[in-house]
Every structure is written in C-alpha cells, then in structure tokens.
Amino acid sequence: MVCFINATLVLTDCLVDSGFVLVEGTRIKDFGSMDQWTMQNCRLIDCHGMYVSPGFIDIHTHGAGGHDFMDGTVEAFVGAGRMLLEHGVTSVLPTSLTSTDEALDQTLVSFRQVQQESGRLPRFLGLHLEGPYLALSQKGAQPERFLKLPEPSHYRSILERAEGAILRWTYAPELPGALDMADDLADQGIVMTIGHSDAEYEDVKHAIEHGFSGLTHFYSAMSSLKRVHGRRVLGVVECGYLFDELFLEIIADGVHLPPELLRLIVKCKDHRNICLVSDSMRAAGMGDGPSVLGGLDLGHIVYVEHGVAMMPDRQAFAGSVATADRLIRTMLQETGLPLYTIVAMMTANPARCMKLKLPIGKIERGYEADLIVFDSNITINKVMVAGKLMME
C-alpha cells in the first residue's frame, strides 16, 4: 500500500487541507483529513501541503514531445505518452488527423500494440478520430485533399478495421449522410462531437437528436451567427450555449481563446459541461521553431511562435502546443474559478462526457488510483497510474 499524507486534496467540489489518500493495489482505498488517518503498514509519501489531484484526462491530443500519433509507430505513442505523463496526463484519447486510409490504419495498428506495453505510460483509453468528414469551409489546418463525405462503405470499413478501438469521432453533421452515420456510431456507443462544421441551428438540433453530445475545440473551425436573406441564423457557437446537453471542449492556452473569451464561456456555460483539452501537436513540450503537423510522411510544416503553432503564412493557428498543466494554470489565472472546479474540467468532466466505464477522474473510494501531486504553480511533482508511481 501507498499513502499520500499532509496533502491538499482536490475533490470535485472542494479542497481538503491536510489530507491523505490511501492506495491499495490499483484502487483508492480511503481518503480524508489527517485527523482521520491511522498509521498503516505502507509506504508514506509526504506531500508537504502540495495538492493531490486525480490525474488529468486529455480527450483531444495529437501528440507531444516531438511525436505525432499519426506517425503510426509504437515509438510515437510511447514518446508522446511519456511527455504527456510528465505534465500530469494519466489518461489520453490519441487523436487522428485527416489522412489517407493507409495512414489511419497504421495508427490503429500502433494503438493496439501500445495498449500491450507496460512501463511509464498513461492509459490509452481509445482513439478519437477527427475527420475526414469535415466541412471544407471550416477545415482549419486539416489537409483539404483528404476530406470526404460520410459514405457508409467508407466509415463502416473504418469501424470494422478499428475493432472497437474508436471511442470518439469528430465530424460535421450537416454533410450529406452524416446523420445516418450518427445512427451507426450511436449503436456502437461511440461519442460523437461536432467539429470543423458550418452547421446552422437546425443542423445542430438534428445532430443532437441523432446522438451528438459535444463540440470539438469550441470557437475554432465552427460556424457562428450569420444573416440568411436578412434573418439571423445561429451557428454552432451559439448552439453550444443554447443547448445545455452539449459539452464544450476548450483549448485553454490563453491564445486559441483569449482570457476574456474564457471568462465569457465559464460565465455562460455550466462548468460541469466544460472539458479542458490540449489539442496538442508534436511540438508540445518543445521549443519554438519549425515543426510538422500530422504524420511525418503526410503532414505539413508549421511554425511554433509565442506559445502556439502557426500556418506558414501566419494567418491562422495550426495547432496547440499546450500541455495540461498550462491549461489549468491559465484557467486559474484568468477566470477566477476555484482550483477544484478547474481540475474537474480535466478529470471528472471528461470521464463523464466520454461515458467511461472505468472509474477514473475522481478521488473516491474504489476509483482507480490515477493521481498526481503538484505545487501552487501547477508544476507536476509526482504521477501515479493504476497505483504505480510513474514519476517521483
């Protein structure tokens, strides 16, 4: 057994000063304040007042540490996973970029292989496919030459080859055939989110009726209010506020969404339906300079400057280089929300929004012992996954 003592516990609705967390095997056996703690025959980890939190769950990341999941190798998964782990991520949804079927297949193969790996890695929960069924007008940094309409023969073939590895799929619900696809995905329990979309209010309403439950990187690559023959028509952005049942994922790096926009979002949306995501690419955790968005073979050159990746013409963002600790730090500095509410946006909230059966994302008896220790600057000190210390 392992026991974290003299810690500030980050629960879903409060902080507990001078607390402990007792871990037995892979699960949390007990937790509470130190005046409830009795000496156990276990390894003691004195946190000296630092925070003990559930491990972060990043449900949208393309890579980190010089690796992209679309590189299609086990080495890329391991390299990116270890960088994410160093920044407090204990569970991850590796995310694809629109590409060839062959490149996606190689990522599928590598994902299944890395799930068999042991050692210093986060949990790879399942794949998040971003595309290829995206609106051309909202493609962002997604490569145009690989965009497609959702044909049953195509997406059913992907589902068959994936063998249950897909946990989430982002696509544009206004495309022809998109709602029929949604019915297929809903039957398989795949979480569907709207992204890279030019949908209008009625499109979003129908998408929700067919099982869509969230918006991918809120405000980025999605429609907003416009006039059609003089009448105002809501876009995806406004629907994110209007429909309470939709969860929003936000890239809280302070660049994709400036501080004032972060404050607007948390003012208007129930914080329980907000998930922080890095949407990081391979340059996350690295320095400024040129990098590659997507796989090394099919990706394109981007430039990392001032904490964000830019397209070569500097007219648009090309991806995030944020790490999970930076997201928490930015939200804490800019929104005025309590730490426990912000941490829930990257622990309990994504676990619920992804409909995970695995009990993670909370400090709770019987939950998996995926825990991190960090200081007041959100600098990660220790990381535990399934009761094993991965970083100390």
Side-chain angles (χ1 to χ4, degrees):
M1 290 194 295
V2 176
C3 192
F4 298 88
I5 61 172
N6 299 319
T8 302
L9 307 186
V10 184
L11 307 185
T12 55
D13 57 356
C14 68
L15 299 178
V16 175
D17 294 328
S18 188
F20 75 93
V21 181
L22 179 63
V23 174
E24 183 175 42
T26 68
R27 301 286 179 117
I28 296 171
K29 183 178 181 180
D30 198 9
F31 71 97
S33 61
M34 287 299 295
D35 58 12
Q36 299 170 313
W37 179 71
T38 57
M39 181 64 72
Q40 304 279 341
N41 182 22
C42 61
R43 177 185 174 183
L44 297 180
I45 298 177
D46 194 332
C47 298
H48 301 288
M50 287 191 290
Y51 298 97
V52 172
S53 158
F56 301 140
I57 303 171
D58 196 344
I59 60 175
H60 187 166
T61 168
H62 297 273
H67 305 278
D68 191 292
F69 298 118
M70 291 303 294
D71 290 345
T73 65
V74 172
E75 291 75 19
F77 275 81
V78 170
R82 286 180 176 168
M83 176 62 77
L84 294 169
L85 195 74
E86 290 177 9
H87 292 274
V89 176
T90 56
S91 293
V92 59
L93 267 65
T95 303
S96 68
L97 196 75
T98 295
S99 67
T100 64
D101 287 354
E102 292 76 17
L104 178 58
D105 285 349
Q106 191 54 53
T107 294
L108 288 168
V109 169
S110 297
F111 172 76
R112 285 192 288 268
Q113 290 175 336
V114 81
Q115 284 191 309
Q116 309 305 315
E117 294 279 324
S118 59
R120 193 169 60 89
L121 290 171
R123 298 178 189 269
F124 292 103
L125 298 172
L127 287 174
H128 169 203
L129 301 194
E130 191 172 5
Y133 316 121
L134 309 174
L136 176 61
S137 58
Q138 298 286 356
K139 65 183 177 64
Q142 297 276 348
E144 179 178 333
R145 65 191 185 277
F146 300 130
L147 298 182
K148 293 179 172 66
L149 293 177
E151 296 287 343
S153 60
H154 188 249
Y155 61 74
R156 288 174 183 168
S157 177
I158 293 175
L159 290 169
E160 183 178 349
R161 299 195 307 273
E163 299 177 348
I166 301 169
L167 183 61
R168 176 186 176 192
W169 207 321
T170 289
Y171 65 104
E174 74 276 14
L175 298 178
L179 297 185
D180 289 336
M181 176 179 167
D183 294 338
D184 277 4
L185 298 190
D187 288 342
Q188 300 198 32
I190 294 172
V191 174
M192 292 170 285
T193 49
I194 300 172
H196 294 273
S197 169
D198 235 345
E200 299 175 0
Y201 167 79
E202 290 294 336
D203 299 315
V204 175
K205 180 173 178 288
H206 291 146
I208 294 170
E209 291 168 353
H210 284 264
F212 279 82
S213 59
L215 304 185
T216 298
H217 44 51
F218 192 44
Y219 277 98
S220 296
M222 61 179 56
S223 58
S224 59
L225 188 71
K226 63 182 179 181
R227 283 182 180 268
V228 179
H229 303 301
R231 297 179 181 273
R232 291 179 178 84
V233 177
L234 274 62
V236 178
V237 168
E238 292 76 27
C239 290
Y241 293 118
L242 180 62
F243 290 103
D244 293 339
E245 59 266 51
L246 287 174
F247 75 83
L248 312 179
E249 62 163 50
I250 60 174
I251 308 170
D253 59 0
V255 183
H256 280 79
L257 302 174
E260 58 271 22
L261 194 49
L262 292 175
R263 291 192 289 271
L264 175 65
I265 293 168
V266 300
K267 180 178 182 179
C268 298
K269 190 73 176 181
D270 187 334
H271 64 81
R272 292 169 296 184
N273 282 335
I274 297 174
C275 298
L276 305 185
V277 298
S278 70
D279 193 12
S280 61
M281 42 90 72
R282 73 172 70 244
M286 313 290 282
D288 286 1
S291 186
V292 177
L293 178 65
L296 290 172
D297 293 338
L298 297 173
H300 50 264
I301 297 294
V302 300
Y303 294 89
V304 179
E305 300 168 347
H306 310 298
V308 70
M310 302 292 294
M311 296 294 283
D313 62 4
R314 270 62 170 191
Q315 295 303 302
F317 296 144
S320 161
V321 296
T323 52
D325 51 338
R326 175 180 166 186
L327 305 177
I328 303 295
R329 193 178 304 116
T330 300
M331 290 292 286
L332 195 60
Q333 292 170 350
E334 303 295 350
T335 66
L337 292 176
L339 177 63
Y340 58 82
T341 297
I342 296 169
V343 167
M345 293 178 180
M346 206 163 190
T347 54
N349 293 4
R352 175 173 44 81
C353 291
M354 290 299 105
K355 304 174 184 177
L356 299 181
K357 295 180 181 178
L358 185 70
I360 58 175
K362 295 181 182 181
I363 294 179
E364 188 63 73
R365 294 172 186 85
Y367 268 59
E368 287 288 318
D370 293 0
L371 301 167
I372 56 177
V373 179
F374 55 82
D375 64 16
S376 58
N377 194 43
I378 324 298
T379 300
I380 308 301
N381 179 269
K382 292 177 176 59
V383 179
M384 172 180 278
V385 179
K388 295 182 179 179
L389 281 166
M390 302 289 176
M391 176 182 142
E392 56 180 314

PDB file of all heavy atoms in Angstrom, residues 243-269:
ATOM      1  N   PHE A 243     -27.858  24.883 -26.105  1.00  0.00           N
ATOM      2  CA  PHE A 243     -28.230  23.505 -25.762  1.00  0.00           C
ATOM      3  C   PHE A 243     -27.427  23.049 -24.545  1.00  0.00           C
ATOM      4  O   PHE A 243     -26.225  22.785 -24.626  1.00  0.00           O
ATOM      5  CB  PHE A 243     -27.978  22.567 -26.948  1.00  0.00           C
ATOM      6  CG  PHE A 243     -28.919  22.789 -28.102  1.00  0.00           C
ATOM      7  CD1 PHE A 243     -28.497  23.470 -29.232  1.00  0.00           C
ATOM      8  CD2 PHE A 243     -30.224  22.320 -28.050  1.00  0.00           C
ATOM      9  CE1 PHE A 243     -29.366  23.679 -30.302  1.00  0.00           C
ATOM     10  CE2 PHE A 243     -31.102  22.524 -29.099  1.00  0.00           C
ATOM     11  CZ  PHE A 243     -30.669  23.206 -30.230  1.00  0.00           C
ATOM     12  N   ASP A 244     -28.117  22.948 -23.417  1.00  0.00           N
ATOM     13  CA  ASP A 244     -27.444  22.578 -22.167  1.00  0.00           C
ATOM     14  C   ASP A 244     -26.792  21.205 -22.248  1.00  0.00           C
ATOM     15  O   ASP A 244     -25.791  20.939 -21.580  1.00  0.00           O
ATOM     16  CB  ASP A 244     -28.444  22.586 -21.005  1.00  0.00           C
ATOM     17  CG  ASP A 244     -28.955  23.974 -20.678  1.00  0.00           C
ATOM     18  OD1 ASP A 244     -28.270  24.959 -21.045  1.00  0.00           O
ATOM     19  OD2 ASP A 244     -30.043  24.087 -20.074  1.00  0.00           O
ATOM     20  N   GLU A 245     -27.365  20.305 -23.044  1.00  0.00           N
ATOM     21  CA  GLU A 245     -26.870  18.934 -23.087  1.00  0.00           C
ATOM     22  C   GLU A 245     -25.550  18.796 -23.821  1.00  0.00           C
ATOM     23  O   GLU A 245     -24.892  17.744 -23.739  1.00  0.00           O
ATOM     24  CB  GLU A 245     -27.918  18.007 -23.722  1.00  0.00           C
ATOM     25  CG  GLU A 245     -28.330  18.369 -25.141  1.00  0.00           C
ATOM     26  CD  GLU A 245     -29.566  19.249 -25.188  1.00  0.00           C
ATOM     27  OE1 GLU A 245     -29.600  20.274 -24.482  1.00  0.00           O
ATOM     28  OE2 GLU A 245     -30.506  18.891 -25.933  1.00  0.00           O
ATOM     29  N   LEU A 246     -25.142  19.813 -24.572  1.00  0.00           N
ATOM     30  CA  LEU A 246     -23.864  19.751 -25.272  1.00  0.00           C
ATOM     31  C   LEU A 246     -22.717  20.104 -24.331  1.00  0.00           C
ATOM     32  O   LEU A 246     -22.747  21.129 -23.650  1.00  0.00           O
ATOM     33  CB  LEU A 246     -23.850  20.724 -26.448  1.00  0.00           C
ATOM     34  CG  LEU A 246     -24.688  20.361 -27.676  1.00  0.00           C
ATOM     35  CD1 LEU A 246     -24.656  21.506 -28.678  1.00  0.00           C
ATOM     36  CD2 LEU A 246     -24.207  19.066 -28.316  1.00  0.00           C
ATOM     37  N   PHE A 247     -21.681  19.261 -24.297  1.00  0.00           N
ATOM     38  CA  PHE A 247     -20.478  19.655 -23.576  1.00  0.00           C
ATOM     39  C   PHE A 247     -19.550  20.383 -24.544  1.00  0.00           C
ATOM     40  O   PHE A 247     -19.600  20.195 -25.764  1.00  0.00           O
ATOM     41  CB  PHE A 247     -19.794  18.457 -22.912  1.00  0.00           C
ATOM     42  CG  PHE A 247     -19.031  17.537 -23.836  1.00  0.00           C
ATOM     43  CD1 PHE A 247     -17.728  17.826 -24.217  1.00  0.00           C
ATOM     44  CD2 PHE A 247     -19.612  16.368 -24.313  1.00  0.00           C
ATOM     45  CE1 PHE A 247     -17.022  16.978 -25.058  1.00  0.00           C
ATOM     46  CE2 PHE A 247     -18.917  15.509 -25.141  1.00  0.00           C
ATOM     47  CZ  PHE A 247     -17.617  15.815 -25.522  1.00  0.00           C
ATOM     48  N   LEU A 248     -18.733  21.259 -24.010  1.00  0.00           N
ATOM     49  CA  LEU A 248     -17.793  22.036 -24.804  1.00  0.00           C
ATOM     50  C   LEU A 248     -16.380  21.650 -24.413  1.00  0.00           C
ATOM     51  O   LEU A 248     -16.058  21.565 -23.231  1.00  0.00           O
ATOM     52  CB  LEU A 248     -17.968  23.538 -24.549  1.00  0.00           C
ATOM     53  CG  LEU A 248     -19.389  24.113 -24.599  1.00  0.00           C
ATOM     54  CD1 LEU A 248     -19.344  25.603 -24.302  1.00  0.00           C
ATOM     55  CD2 LEU A 248     -20.042  23.843 -25.945  1.00  0.00           C
ATOM     56  N   GLU A 249     -15.534  21.416 -25.410  1.00  0.00           N
ATOM     57  CA  GLU A 249     -14.119  21.294 -25.080  1.00  0.00           C
ATOM     58  C   GLU A 249     -13.427  22.584 -25.486  1.00  0.00           C
ATOM     59  O   GLU A 249     -13.707  23.163 -26.541  1.00  0.00           O
ATOM     60  CB  GLU A 249     -13.479  20.069 -25.740  1.00  0.00           C
ATOM     61  CG  GLU A 249     -13.479  20.027 -27.253  1.00  0.00           C
ATOM     62  CD  GLU A 249     -12.483  19.021 -27.810  1.00  0.00           C
ATOM     63  OE1 GLU A 249     -12.493  17.869 -27.359  1.00  0.00           O
ATOM     64  OE2 GLU A 249     -11.706  19.409 -28.717  1.00  0.00           O
ATOM     65  N   ILE A 250     -12.567  23.076 -24.614  1.00  0.00           N
ATOM     66  CA  ILE A 250     -11.900  24.350 -24.861  1.00  0.00           C
ATOM     67  C   ILE A 250     -10.387  24.192 -24.719  1.00  0.00           C
ATOM     68  O   ILE A 250      -9.890  23.502 -23.832  1.00  0.00           O
ATOM     69  CB  ILE A 250     -12.415  25.472 -23.927  1.00  0.00           C
ATOM     70  CG1 ILE A 250     -12.190  25.135 -22.455  1.00  0.00           C
ATOM     71  CG2 ILE A 250     -13.896  25.725 -24.176  1.00  0.00           C
ATOM     72  CD1 ILE A 250     -12.565  26.288 -21.524  1.00  0.00           C
ATOM     73  N   ILE A 251      -9.687  24.825 -25.650  1.00  0.00           N
ATOM     74  CA  ILE A 251      -8.223  24.859 -25.609  1.00  0.00           C
ATOM     75  C   ILE A 251      -7.838  26.071 -24.779  1.00  0.00           C
ATOM     76  O   ILE A 251      -7.753  27.196 -25.285  1.00  0.00           O
ATOM     77  CB  ILE A 251      -7.622  24.961 -27.020  1.00  0.00           C
ATOM     78  CG1 ILE A 251      -8.192  23.885 -27.946  1.00  0.00           C
ATOM     79  CG2 ILE A 251      -6.090  24.847 -26.950  1.00  0.00           C
ATOM     80  CD1 ILE A 251      -7.822  24.070 -29.414  1.00  0.00           C
ATOM     81  N   ALA A 252      -7.625  25.867 -23.507  1.00  0.00           N
ATOM     82  CA  ALA A 252      -7.419  26.976 -22.566  1.00  0.00           C
ATOM     83  C   ALA A 252      -5.946  27.345 -22.455  1.00  0.00           C
ATOM     84  O   ALA A 252      -5.371  27.391 -21.369  1.00  0.00           O
ATOM     85  CB  ALA A 252      -7.996  26.615 -21.201  1.00  0.00           C
ATOM     86  N   ASP A 253      -5.334  27.626 -23.621  1.00  0.00           N
ATOM     87  CA  ASP A 253      -3.932  28.029 -23.607  1.00  0.00           C
ATOM     88  C   ASP A 253      -3.768  29.544 -23.518  1.00  0.00           C
ATOM     89  O   ASP A 253      -2.650  30.049 -23.451  1.00  0.00           O
ATOM     90  CB  ASP A 253      -3.199  27.489 -24.841  1.00  0.00           C
ATOM     91  CG  ASP A 253      -3.800  27.967 -26.161  1.00  0.00           C
ATOM     92  OD1 ASP A 253      -4.787  28.717 -26.130  1.00  0.00           O
ATOM     93  OD2 ASP A 253      -3.274  27.553 -27.224  1.00  0.00           O
ATOM     94  N   GLY A 254      -4.900  30.283 -23.531  1.00  0.00           N
ATOM     95  CA  GLY A 254      -4.836  31.731 -23.484  1.00  0.00           C
ATOM     96  C   GLY A 254      -4.549  32.362 -24.822  1.00  0.00           C
ATOM     97  O   GLY A 254      -4.485  33.601 -24.930  1.00  0.00           O
ATOM     98  N   VAL A 255      -4.400  31.531 -25.887  1.00  0.00           N
ATOM     99  CA  VAL A 255      -4.120  32.029 -27.227  1.00  0.00           C
ATOM    100  C   VAL A 255      -5.271  31.668 -28.168  1.00  0.00           C
ATOM    101  O   VAL A 255      -5.879  32.542 -28.782  1.00  0.00           O
ATOM    102  CB  VAL A 255      -2.793  31.456 -27.767  1.00  0.00           C
ATOM    103  CG1 VAL A 255      -2.480  32.043 -29.141  1.00  0.00           C
ATOM    104  CG2 VAL A 255      -1.656  31.718 -26.804  1.00  0.00           C
ATOM    105  N   HIS A 256      -5.571  30.377 -28.279  1.00  0.00           N
ATOM    106  CA  HIS A 256      -6.724  29.978 -29.085  1.00  0.00           C
ATOM    107  C   HIS A 256      -7.989  30.693 -28.604  1.00  0.00           C
ATOM    108  O   HIS A 256      -8.811  31.139 -29.406  1.00  0.00           O
ATOM    109  CB  HIS A 256      -6.931  28.458 -29.011  1.00  0.00           C
ATOM    110  CG  HIS A 256      -6.027  27.680 -29.902  1.00  0.00           C
ATOM    111  ND1 HIS A 256      -4.728  27.413 -29.575  1.00  0.00           N
ATOM    112  CD2 HIS A 256      -6.253  27.100 -31.117  1.00  0.00           C
ATOM    113  CE1 HIS A 256      -4.177  26.714 -30.550  1.00  0.00           C
ATOM    114  NE2 HIS A 256      -5.072  26.511 -31.500  1.00  0.00           N
ATOM    115  N   LEU A 257      -8.137  30.771 -27.304  1.00  0.00           N
ATOM    116  CA  LEU A 257      -9.227  31.502 -26.681  1.00  0.00           C
ATOM    117  C   LEU A 257      -8.609  32.525 -25.733  1.00  0.00           C
ATOM    118  O   LEU A 257      -8.014  32.144 -24.723  1.00  0.00           O
ATOM    119  CB  LEU A 257     -10.159  30.564 -25.915  1.00  0.00           C
ATOM    120  CG  LEU A 257     -10.813  29.445 -26.730  1.00  0.00           C
ATOM    121  CD1 LEU A 257     -11.597  28.508 -25.821  1.00  0.00           C
ATOM    122  CD2 LEU A 257     -11.727  30.012 -27.806  1.00  0.00           C
ATOM    123  N   PRO A 258      -8.725  33.814 -26.045  1.00  0.00           N
ATOM    124  CA  PRO A 258      -8.123  34.816 -25.159  1.00  0.00           C
ATOM    125  C   PRO A 258      -8.806  34.822 -23.799  1.00  0.00           C
ATOM    126  O   PRO A 258      -9.923  34.317 -23.645  1.00  0.00           O
ATOM    127  CB  PRO A 258      -8.348  36.130 -25.914  1.00  0.00           C
ATOM    128  CG  PRO A 258      -9.510  35.863 -26.809  1.00  0.00           C
ATOM    129  CD  PRO A 258      -9.417  34.416 -27.191  1.00  0.00           C
ATOM    130  N   PRO A 259      -8.161  35.387 -22.788  1.00  0.00           N
ATOM    131  CA  PRO A 259      -8.713  35.354 -21.425  1.00  0.00           C
ATOM    132  C   PRO A 259     -10.146  35.842 -21.316  1.00  0.00           C
ATOM    133  O   PRO A 259     -10.960  35.249 -20.601  1.00  0.00           O
ATOM    134  CB  PRO A 259      -7.750  36.248 -20.639  1.00  0.00           C
ATOM    135  CG  PRO A 259      -6.446  36.114 -21.364  1.00  0.00           C
ATOM    136  CD  PRO A 259      -6.804  36.002 -22.812  1.00  0.00           C
ATOM    137  N   GLU A 260     -10.498  36.920 -22.038  1.00  0.00           N
ATOM    138  CA  GLU A 260     -11.856  37.440 -21.935  1.00  0.00           C
ATOM    139  C   GLU A 260     -12.880  36.458 -22.499  1.00  0.00           C
ATOM    140  O   GLU A 260     -14.019  36.401 -22.021  1.00  0.00           O
ATOM    141  CB  GLU A 260     -11.961  38.800 -22.626  1.00  0.00           C
ATOM    142  CG  GLU A 260     -11.575  38.818 -24.090  1.00  0.00           C
ATOM    143  CD  GLU A 260     -10.091  39.090 -24.312  1.00  0.00           C
ATOM    144  OE1 GLU A 260      -9.280  38.854 -23.376  1.00  0.00           O
ATOM    145  OE2 GLU A 260      -9.757  39.541 -25.426  1.00  0.00           O
ATOM    146  N   LEU A 261     -12.479  35.662 -23.483  1.00  0.00           N
ATOM    147  CA  LEU A 261     -13.394  34.674 -24.037  1.00  0.00           C
ATOM    148  C   LEU A 261     -13.526  33.479 -23.094  1.00  0.00           C
ATOM    149  O   LEU A 261     -14.610  32.908 -22.940  1.00  0.00           O
ATOM    150  CB  LEU A 261     -12.913  34.222 -25.414  1.00  0.00           C
ATOM    151  CG  LEU A 261     -13.903  33.439 -26.286  1.00  0.00           C
ATOM    152  CD1 LEU A 261     -15.251  34.134 -26.349  1.00  0.00           C
ATOM    153  CD2 LEU A 261     -13.333  33.244 -27.685  1.00  0.00           C
ATOM    154  N   LEU A 262     -12.447  33.115 -22.440  1.00  0.00           N
ATOM    155  CA  LEU A 262     -12.529  32.063 -21.415  1.00  0.00           C
ATOM    156  C   LEU A 262     -13.511  32.477 -20.320  1.00  0.00           C
ATOM    157  O   LEU A 262     -14.323  31.665 -19.859  1.00  0.00           O
ATOM    158  CB  LEU A 262     -11.143  31.797 -20.812  1.00  0.00           C
ATOM    159  CG  LEU A 262     -10.097  31.156 -21.724  1.00  0.00           C
ATOM    160  CD1 LEU A 262      -8.754  31.078 -21.013  1.00  0.00           C
ATOM    161  CD2 LEU A 262     -10.536  29.771 -22.174  1.00  0.00           C
ATOM    162  N   ARG A 263     -13.445  33.744 -19.919  1.00  0.00           N
ATOM    163  CA  ARG A 263     -14.356  34.226 -18.871  1.00  0.00           C
ATOM    164  C   ARG A 263     -15.808  34.211 -19.343  1.00  0.00           C
ATOM    165  O   ARG A 263     -16.717  33.906 -18.567  1.00  0.00           O
ATOM    166  CB  ARG A 263     -13.935  35.632 -18.421  1.00  0.00           C
ATOM    167  CG  ARG A 263     -12.618  35.649 -17.652  1.00  0.00           C
ATOM    168  CD  ARG A 263     -12.377  36.976 -16.965  1.00  0.00           C
ATOM    169  NE  ARG A 263     -12.071  38.052 -17.899  1.00  0.00           N
ATOM    170  CZ  ARG A 263     -10.846  38.357 -18.325  1.00  0.00           C
ATOM    171  NH1 ARG A 263      -9.802  37.634 -17.927  1.00  0.00           N
ATOM    172  NH2 ARG A 263     -10.656  39.371 -19.153  1.00  0.00           N
ATOM    173  N   LEU A 264     -16.031  34.549 -20.600  1.00  0.00           N
ATOM    174  CA  LEU A 264     -17.389  34.510 -21.142  1.00  0.00           C
ATOM    175  C   LEU A 264     -17.934  33.083 -21.136  1.00  0.00           C
ATOM    176  O   LEU A 264     -19.090  32.853 -20.750  1.00  0.00           O
ATOM    177  CB  LEU A 264     -17.405  35.066 -22.565  1.00  0.00           C
ATOM    178  CG  LEU A 264     -18.752  34.973 -23.295  1.00  0.00           C
ATOM    179  CD1 LEU A 264     -19.795  35.854 -22.612  1.00  0.00           C
ATOM    180  CD2 LEU A 264     -18.595  35.366 -24.763  1.00  0.00           C
ATOM    181  N   ILE A 265     -17.115  32.139 -21.539  1.00  0.00           N
ATOM    182  CA  ILE A 265     -17.565  30.743 -21.611  1.00  0.00           C
ATOM    183  C   ILE A 265     -17.975  30.235 -20.237  1.00  0.00           C
ATOM    184  O   ILE A 265     -19.048  29.649 -20.065  1.00  0.00           O
ATOM    185  CB  ILE A 265     -16.466  29.858 -22.222  1.00  0.00           C
ATOM    186  CG1 ILE A 265     -16.235  30.218 -23.698  1.00  0.00           C
ATOM    187  CG2 ILE A 265     -16.840  28.372 -22.105  1.00  0.00           C
ATOM    188  CD1 ILE A 265     -14.992  29.604 -24.299  1.00  0.00           C
ATOM    189  N   VAL A 266     -17.125  30.448 -19.235  1.00  0.00           N
ATOM    190  CA  VAL A 266     -17.440  29.907 -17.906  1.00  0.00           C
ATOM    191  C   VAL A 266     -18.581  30.684 -17.244  1.00  0.00           C
ATOM    192  O   VAL A 266     -19.235  30.163 -16.329  1.00  0.00           O
ATOM    193  CB  VAL A 266     -16.199  29.875 -16.992  1.00  0.00           C
ATOM    194  CG1 VAL A 266     -15.107  29.002 -17.602  1.00  0.00           C
ATOM    195  CG2 VAL A 266     -15.663  31.278 -16.710  1.00  0.00           C
ATOM    196  N   LYS A 267     -18.830  31.899 -17.710  1.00  0.00           N
ATOM    197  CA  LYS A 267     -19.962  32.668 -17.199  1.00  0.00           C
ATOM    198  C   LYS A 267     -21.279  32.148 -17.767  1.00  0.00           C
ATOM    199  O   LYS A 267     -22.308  32.140 -17.073  1.00  0.00           O
ATOM    200  CB  LYS A 267     -19.793  34.147 -17.556  1.00  0.00           C
ATOM    201  CG  LYS A 267     -20.917  35.055 -17.063  1.00  0.00           C
ATOM    202  CD  LYS A 267     -20.647  36.507 -17.407  1.00  0.00           C
ATOM    203  CE  LYS A 267     -21.749  37.416 -16.880  1.00  0.00           C
ATOM    204  NZ  LYS A 267     -21.478  38.849 -17.187  1.00  0.00           N
ATOM    205  N   CYS A 268     -21.256  31.689 -19.011  1.00  0.00           N
ATOM    206  CA  CYS A 268     -22.492  31.326 -19.711  1.00  0.00           C
ATOM    207  C   CYS A 268     -22.784  29.830 -19.728  1.00  0.00           C
ATOM    208  O   CYS A 268     -23.926  29.434 -19.981  1.00  0.00           O
ATOM    209  CB  CYS A 268     -22.437  31.833 -21.151  1.00  0.00           C
ATOM    210  SG  CYS A 268     -22.318  33.623 -21.304  1.00  0.00           S
ATOM    211  N   LYS A 269     -21.785  28.991 -19.501  1.00  0.00           N
ATOM    212  CA  LYS A 269     -21.967  27.540 -19.613  1.00  0.00           C
ATOM    213  C   LYS A 269     -21.732  26.885 -18.267  1.00  0.00           C
ATOM    214  O   LYS A 269     -20.799  27.247 -17.538  1.00  0.00           O
ATOM    215  CB  LYS A 269     -20.979  26.977 -20.647  1.00  0.00           C
ATOM    216  CG  LYS A 269     -21.227  25.525 -21.030  1.00  0.00           C
ATOM    217  CD  LYS A 269     -22.448  25.365 -21.914  1.00  0.00           C
ATOM    218  CE  LYS A 269     -22.612  23.907 -22.364  1.00  0.00           C
ATOM    219  NZ  LYS A 269     -23.784  23.743 -23.253  1.00  0.00           N
TER     220      LYS A 269
END
